[in-house]
Amino acid sequence: MRKIPKIPKILLTSVLAAAACGGGQKTGSGLGDGNAPPPPPSGPTAQKDGAAGEGTPVKREVSKEAKNDFQGAEAFFDQTDKANGWNESSCRSAADKFQSVVRSHPDLVEAQYMVGLSFHRCNLMKDAEQAYQSAARGQGPYAAKATSNLGEIYYAAGKVDAAKGYWESALKIDGKLVAARNMLASLMLEDMRKLSFKDAAWKKLDEDARFQLSNVLGVDSENVKAYTVMALIWMEGFQGNKNRLDLAKFALDEAKKRNEKFAPLQNAYGLYYMHRNAQSEALQHFMAAVDADPKFVEARMNVGLTTVNFRKYDTAKEQFSKVLELTGNKNYDAYIGLGLALRGANDFAGAEQQYNNAIKLDGTRGEAYYNLGVLYKDFKANKAASLQDSQKIDRQAKDYFNNFLSKTGSNDDKAEAKEQIILCDKLIAQIDQFLKAQAAAPPPPPPQTPPSTPPAGAGSGSGSGT
């Protein structure tokens, strides 16, 4: 038995990286400090969310000077974007140019939005948040975009409820904002995965998510992200309705027509083939996703987990190690996967270290404890120098399984752990019985002294006689 992290589906941030996201170096966002984000705006442009539409249009006059100033700053932004030349210096330079426009034309919401977008390109989240908040207090579509991007920032900081509120508010301003609908659909997908497909709440989420995506495709029929998320939604609940996989495949193929190299699409294809029990095909798509986006953490995890199953431990080790590098050693599942790869390569000490690293990262989760129990019971005990050492290792394994029972984990996993504890008790008892029987057995008789060698020439009954 081995407890491995489940194949990740696709995290929201990786599927729906909004236009704001970009390369460059990452700095602290300052958003994960426990402070509540300010409430989403609800200005005069707000409308009740429903089918894709727009809020009340806001008439305004934009001077020729304002247009020229904005276009000058925009030219620098577009040039840097095309050259993929984003770094902290270029992001701040772009932001400064748009800030200059804002100082001269305070009512130009587009410029304030672009200040936030410039910072967002390099993940300068604190600065981006402040700029977007200013833009969100304005009116019109750019206020809606700023509001939507604030949702993205708060989601990345782990503030899911706040993110949802901002995306819903953005749609009240501009119902045609496809990014916000894609995001909300993906949140619904995440909630679906926490429920049984037989649950009425699951069915409601299923309907609402597909409604959001249908609205996206009604506005933008080429939206590859919407097709990809639609496919993932159809994959959910396929155990009760195999036709859902056929619908998922149709959505995947439609996305492929638009952009075959979209990394989350390739990862979604991999998940589809996993559901079809075609692991070789799944691996090919997971690897294609990594090729398309080397920083795509979920795809690398999927490659690692699949290659562990194929016993390609060197490849798995490389993928999990890269995930840890990309995440600043903050990925629990990558530690578990790396431990599995090292255990498969008979590096038991290395595997144990990775499981302990996972515990240090999150002591509430149970997978590391379960895997430590398996490592001790099924691997280290077999290498023990004596029965006493083997028994000691089995007791340690039992402790790890007991620890797992007090941590998070599914009911099925807990049942497996209880079975492992019973097996440990049996092994410990068997060794006890053997050692007791060995101690009670009479000592073996002393070896008999062999007869002395007769002297040379001594008769042995075979001589000729006298």
Side-chain angles (χ1 to χ4, degrees):
M1 299 290 293
R2 61 183 178 185
K3 181 57 56 188
I4 65 174
K6 292 180 172 62
I7 293 284
K9 304 293 186 179
I10 290 187
L11 293 186
L12 176 60
T13 49
S14 59
V15 182
L16 300 175
C21 292
Q25 65 188 48
K26 186 173 183 179
T27 61
S29 68
L31 300 173
D33 53 7
N35 296 325
S42 55
T45 58
Q47 66 171 33
K48 184 176 181 181
D49 184 34
E54 292 186 3
T56 305
V58 178
K59 295 182 179 180
R60 60 175 183 157
E61 295 292 334
V62 179
S63 68
K64 184 176 180 180
E65 179 186 4
K67 290 180 181 179
N68 290 338
D69 290 347
F70 181 86
Q71 288 171 356
E74 188 179 39
F76 176 82
F77 184 97
D78 290 343
Q79 181 180 1
T80 307
D81 219 23
K82 290 177 182 178
N84 195 23
W86 293 112
N87 52 49
E88 183 169 352
S89 176
S90 60
C91 284
R92 292 194 181 279
S93 293
D96 286 344
K97 293 181 185 300
F98 286 114
Q99 283 171 335
S100 178
V101 177
V102 172
R103 285 191 291 270
S104 299
H105 313 284
D107 294 334
L108 204 60
V109 180
E110 295 93 321
Q112 186 61 57
Y113 168 79
M114 291 302 295
V115 173
L117 189 61
S118 299
F119 286 129
H120 208 165
R121 275 289 190 266
C122 295
N123 294 321
L124 299 168
M125 298 302 199
K126 188 72 173 179
D127 294 322
E129 179 200 13
Q130 292 174 353
Y132 285 147
Q133 286 290 356
S134 296
R137 288 191 287 270
Q139 296 180 338
Y142 279 90
K145 290 180 180 180
T147 303
S148 181
N149 284 357
L150 281 166
E152 182 187 339
I153 287 176
Y154 294 130
Y155 181 87
K159 298 181 178 181
V160 178
D161 290 340
K164 181 180 178 182
Y166 274 83
W167 290 326
E168 289 173 342
S169 294
L171 288 174
K172 290 176 182 178
I173 301 170
D174 182 358
K176 291 185 177 181
L177 196 60
V178 297
R181 289 192 184 276
N182 275 335
M183 295 289 194
L184 286 172
S186 291
L187 279 185
M188 294 170 189
L189 172 61
E190 293 302 313
D191 288 339
M192 287 171 65
R193 289 170 176 159
K194 300 172 186 175
L195 301 171
S196 167
F197 65 88
K198 299 177 182 179
D199 196 311
W202 185 96
K203 295 177 181 177
K204 181 66 165 58
L205 288 166
D206 181 34
E207 293 174 0
D208 290 347
R210 288 188 283 111
F211 169 81
Q212 294 289 351
L213 296 171
S214 294
N215 272 277
V216 171
L217 295 172
V219 173
D220 178 10
S221 62
E222 300 300 305
N223 195 293
V224 65
K225 297 174 184 177
Y227 283 114
T228 301
V229 179
M230 184 75 83
L232 292 170
I233 288 170
W234 282 123
M235 288 184 213
E236 295 300 309
F238 78 92
Q239 300 89 340
N241 182 356
K242 298 296 182 182
N243 290 334
R244 290 182 71 95
L245 287 182
D246 295 331
L247 293 167
K249 183 61 161 51
F250 174 80
L252 291 171
D253 291 344
E254 287 299 309
K256 182 179 178 181
K257 294 175 185 177
R258 275 77 181 174
N259 185 358
E260 184 175 1
K261 295 184 179 180
F262 184 49
L265 169 63
Q266 290 297 328
N267 196 58
Y269 263 118
L271 297 171
Y272 166 80
Y273 283 109
M274 289 295 294
H275 291 319
R276 291 292 192 189
N277 294 317
Q279 291 198 31
S280 294
E281 289 86 347
L283 179 58
Q284 290 175 15
H285 286 285
F286 292 145
M287 293 181 71
V290 173
D291 289 340
D293 181 2
K295 293 183 179 180
F296 193 174
V297 167
E298 287 75 27
R300 286 191 178 275
M301 283 293 300
N302 290 343
V303 172
L305 293 169
T306 309
T307 50
V308 162
N309 288 334
F310 287 152
R311 299 186 180 182
K312 296 181 178 180
Y313 299 121
D314 288 342
T315 301
K317 177 182 175 182
E318 177 185 354
Q319 295 297 327
F320 293 129
S321 297
K322 187 63 178 179
V323 168
L324 290 169
E325 176 187 329
L326 290 169
T327 59
N329 296 319
K330 298 296 184 182
N331 191 300
Y332 185 100
D333 287 337
Y335 279 124
I336 300 299
L338 184 54
L340 289 171
L342 293 172
R343 191 185 76 188
N346 294 320
D347 182 359
F348 300 151
E352 184 170 4
Q353 180 61 56
Q354 300 310 317
Y355 298 146
N356 285 323
N357 286 341
I359 291 171
K360 291 177 184 177
L361 185 63
D362 187 352
T364 66
R365 290 183 58 173
E367 294 96 323
Y369 291 100
Y370 189 102
N371 276 288
L372 281 166
V374 172
L375 178 66
Y376 271 66
K377 172 181 166 289
D378 293 340
F379 294 87
K380 296 186 73 171
N382 293 335
K383 301 291 185 179
S386 67
L387 285 175
Q388 289 88 344
D389 287 343
S390 179
Q391 189 181 57
K392 182 179 179 180
I393 292 171
D394 286 330
R395 287 196 174 100
Q396 182 63 65
K398 178 182 175 182
D399 288 343
Y400 282 129
F401 289 128
N402 274 317
N403 279 330
F404 171 68
L405 294 178
S406 67
K407 307 298 179 181
T408 59
S410 70
N411 291 333
D412 289 343
D413 293 341
K414 296 296 178 70
E416 290 181 12
K418 291 175 182 178
E419 292 177 2
Q420 294 288 344
I421 290 170
I422 293 171
L423 289 173
C424 287
D425 283 335
K426 287 182 178 179
L427 290 170
I428 292 167
Q430 288 172 356
I431 293 174
D432 266 338
Q433 292 174 359
F434 182 84
L435 293 175
K436 288 178 182 178
Q438 190 178 53
Q448 295 184 358
T449 305
S452 59
T453 303
S460 61
S462 59
S464 60
T466 55

